[in-house]
Amino acid sequence: MTVEAIGSQLSSTNPTSLPNAGINEQDFIQLFVSQLQFQDPMQPLDNSQFLTQLAQFVGIEQQSEEVTGINNLATLDSSDQTVTLLSHTVQVSNSDGSTTTGKVTGIQYSTNGVQLTVTPSTGSVMTNVNLSQIQLVTP
């Protein structure tokens, strides 16, 4: 795809759909500079197109920062909720449809999210229990 074709696509694209196009900040800047370098001097880039593309880029950057902030808040909220479960008795739904009751004895934070360690009064320790598996919490 030529620089002109990509530039045309950028100027006609809705800012919210750009992340799906696979264009990141560095790609956008490189494309924009190339577009300015290779423009026809007899038909320079229209100021309105320039401002539209710049506004789209700023909008995408702001949306990205907002999503990052929301994700950070959700992680903090999840961490707070999880810490309050320590030493509480919980009822966990198992993959086979049964339930297990035990005490939360550990918490692990990983890229997969928050994982609990539940120790039942009888049986083996359950590790990697997701918050979504918790059906009931008692003190």
Side-chain angles (χ1 to χ4, degrees):
M1 185 176 273
T2 66
V3 171
E4 291 80 14
I6 296 172
S8 172
Q9 181 183 357
L10 277 176
S11 65
S12 65
T13 304
N14 182 334
T16 58
S17 67
L18 281 176
N20 296 331
I23 298 174
N24 63 24
E25 179 181 351
Q26 189 63 33
D27 292 338
F28 180 87
I29 291 170
Q30 189 174 22
L31 173 66
F32 194 67
V33 169
S34 294
Q35 197 174 17
L36 290 174
Q37 285 176 339
F38 296 109
Q39 69 179 330
D40 182 0
M42 301 305 288
Q43 294 179 337
L45 183 64
D46 183 19
N47 285 341
S48 64
Q49 286 180 336
F50 173 80
L51 292 174
T52 300
Q53 291 175 3
L54 193 56
Q56 288 175 344
F57 174 70
V58 169
I60 291 168
E61 189 67 27
Q62 287 174 344
Q63 287 176 351
S64 175
E65 289 173 7
E66 288 173 6
V67 167
T68 300
I70 290 170
N71 286 341
N72 289 343
L73 286 174
T75 301
L76 285 173
D77 185 47
S78 177
S79 298
D80 286 347
Q81 289 177 358
T82 308
V83 169
T84 61
L85 291 176
L86 271 173
S87 299
H88 282 73
T89 301
V90 294
Q91 185 178 31
V92 179
S93 64
N94 300 316
S95 58
D96 63 1
S98 65
T99 59
T100 303
T101 302
K103 191 169 282 207
V104 177
T105 56
I107 301 170
Q108 179 181 358
Y109 299 96
S110 69
T111 56
N112 297 332
V114 178
Q115 306 285 311
L116 303 175
T117 300
V118 178
T119 305
S121 55
T122 59
S124 61
V125 173
M126 298 176 63
T127 57
N128 301 328
V129 175
N130 292 320
L131 287 176
S132 60
Q133 292 178 261
I134 305 296
Q135 291 183 335
L136 178 69
V137 178
T138 55

